[in-house]
Amino acid sequence: MIGRIVGTGSYIPQYCMDNNDIAKLVETSDEWIRERTGVARRHIISGEETTVSMASVAGKRALENAGIEPEEVDLILVSTISSNVILPCAACEVQKEIGAVNATCFDLNAACTGFILAYNTAAAYIAAGVYKTALIIGSESLSNLTNWNDRGTCILFGDGAGAAVLAAQPEASETSETTDKPEASENDTSKLFIPVTHSNGAGGEALSLKSRHDANGLTKEVDKEETFDEAHYMQMDGRAVFKFAVKKVPEVIEETLQLNKLKKENIACYILHQANRRIIESVAKRLDEPLEKFPMNLEEYGNTSSASIPILLDEWNRQGKLKSGSKIVLAGFGAGLTWGASVISV
């Protein structure tokens, strides 16, 4: 069996901060931010919005889009680095909120590569016959982890959640055994594609964040107005991350295509983690692919870490841009360091 994405959903906080709002906090300007990142706005949680509440709404919308009842879900994975709860895990809280009473639930932390690894994990379980229907969610409240006095990071990040439903479908080889059809080719959409993922812990200092604990080992409450040690906010070596991404992302995409015996002309589009416009442009150039094959929405949302890929995937789905039978490459990169790519059929 293979896991096919049969539904998507997302949730974006209503409150929006544009670059002019950021310029009131640090020395910067709309022009400066747009030129270096491509970001114009980012959405920030407010009121009772949390990582779990956003994940729950995105998950509900994905199930509705798929036409699947919550009781049919037997696996929920939530990828996040910014959950408002530690115990129980965010996935169990989502289960409670949406009524997926038959699901096994757990969280996954791989930062901006998280949705890729969550997708791969769910797909592997489905291929092994362990589960049939999986709900995978990327949800982040990065505003709680952002130092709003640090120009190098506060201009980049936003909050949001995206989700996808994977449902078990017969693989091409299984169908051919019963119908005497030829084996799957590069044009088959019912083919099990092999993902490629990598990690380099030695490069972890490029993106880091220490846990907020006091002297007694108790977790401190997050307060945007409180001043923590800088290490308790997201720390990033922007130049190191840029060099890492523009080299490793095209490499892992090429590796994935070669492993699955696919050519670039077989790929309808590349949905990359939305970190920086210049990174995406550099990846397109190195792959010698037109920029039109690399959709972007970071102008509106900024970097939402593990939520960025599923948010963009949901937007393209809702806009009717995911054409049936086409192949898409999903690629993520981020803290760890981690990076990877997967091919999906729609």
Side-chain angles (χ1 to χ4, degrees):
M1 304 295 285
I2 63 169
R4 291 279 300 278
I5 291 179
V6 296
T8 62
S10 61
Y11 177 86
I12 307 299
Q14 183 175 2
Y15 174 61
C16 178
M17 290 180 68
D18 64 22
N19 290 341
N20 292 321
D21 294 321
I22 297 293
K24 297 174 184 177
L25 304 176
V26 294
E27 185 179 351
T28 189
S29 67
D30 176 61
E31 182 182 6
W32 192 92
I33 297 172
R34 285 176 183 265
E35 180 182 347
R36 286 160 178 79
T37 69
V39 178
R41 292 166 293 278
R42 72 285 298 145
H43 294 252
I44 306 297
I45 58 170
S46 61
E48 297 182 354
E49 293 172 322
T50 66
T51 298
V52 167
S53 72
M54 292 190 297
S56 298
V57 175
K60 287 179 181 178
R61 290 174 177 173
L63 290 173
E64 290 170 358
N65 184 242
I68 289 176
E69 296 298 322
E71 295 82 4
E72 298 178 66
V73 177
D74 43 22
L75 176 66
I76 298 175
L77 298 181
V78 173
S79 172
T80 184
I81 62 168
S82 56
S83 179
N84 54 296
V85 293
I86 298 175
L87 295 175
C89 68
C92 282
E93 290 292 277
V94 170
Q95 178 198 36
K96 177 178 68 176
E97 290 298 319
I98 69 175
V101 294
N102 296 310
T104 296
C105 311
F106 61 93
D107 291 354
L108 186 152
N109 178 349
C112 303
T113 318
F115 186 80
I116 298 293
L117 295 179
Y119 170 83
N120 293 344
T121 300
Y125 274 125
I126 290 173
V130 179
Y131 303 112
K132 293 182 178 179
T133 306
L135 175 61
I136 55 173
I137 304 170
S139 185
E140 303 286 7
S141 300
L142 299 183
S143 60
N144 285 334
L145 309 179
T146 298
N147 182 351
W148 293 96
N149 296 314
D150 176 15
R151 185 178 72 166
T153 56
C154 74
I155 64 174
L156 298 171
F157 299 108
D159 302 335
V165 179
L166 269 69
Q169 306 286 332
E171 191 182 353
S173 58
E174 297 171 318
T175 304
S176 64
E177 289 178 3
T178 58
T179 62
D180 295 324
K181 291 183 179 179
E183 291 187 0
S185 71
E186 63 183 21
N187 295 317
D188 284 310
T189 58
S190 55
K191 181 179 179 180
L192 181 61
F193 296 109
I194 304 170
V196 177
T197 54
H198 297 285
S199 299
N200 175 21
E205 290 186 0
L207 275 163
S208 63
L209 170 66
K210 288 188 177 180
S211 177
R212 291 181 169 98
H213 288 85
D214 62 21
N216 297 314
L218 298 175
T219 302
K220 296 181 179 180
E221 290 292 328
V222 175
D223 187 338
K224 293 183 178 67
E225 302 300 324
E226 186 176 350
T227 301
F228 288 107
D229 181 274
E230 288 187 357
H232 296 120
Y233 294 106
M234 288 185 289
Q235 301 290 299
M236 184 177 68
D237 181 340
R239 180 170 296 182
V241 172
F242 184 90
K243 291 174 63 177
F244 148 70
V246 299
K247 182 176 187 295
K248 293 299 185 181
V249 174
E251 286 181 355
V252 78
I253 290 174
E254 294 274 19
E255 186 179 357
T256 304
L257 295 178
Q258 291 174 11
L259 183 63
N260 289 284
K261 297 181 173 58
L262 293 171
K263 300 175 182 178
K264 285 181 283 189
E265 50 263 38
N266 300 133
I267 305 303
C269 69
Y270 302 84
I271 294 185
L272 272 55
H273 165 51
Q274 303 290 290
N276 185 303
R277 181 179 179 87
R278 292 193 299 169
I279 290 176
I280 297 174
E281 289 173 343
S282 296
V283 171
K285 184 175 181 180
R286 293 196 179 206
L287 288 172
D288 194 24
E289 285 278 72
L291 191 59
E292 291 73 22
K293 292 180 71 171
F294 293 79
M296 287 182 265
N297 63 5
L298 58 88
E299 180 180 9
E300 180 64 30
Y301 306 123
N303 181 343
T304 56
S305 190
S306 63
S308 72
I309 290 175
I311 289 174
L312 181 53
L313 192 65
D314 182 49
E315 285 190 342
W316 268 54
N317 181 29
R318 304 279 173 165
Q319 294 170 13
K321 295 180 179 179
L322 298 182
K323 303 301 182 182
S324 179
S326 62
K327 296 180 183 65
I328 295 172
V329 170
L330 308 180
F333 54 93
L337 295 166
T338 58
W339 64 104
S342 298
V343 179
I344 67 170
S345 293
V346 294

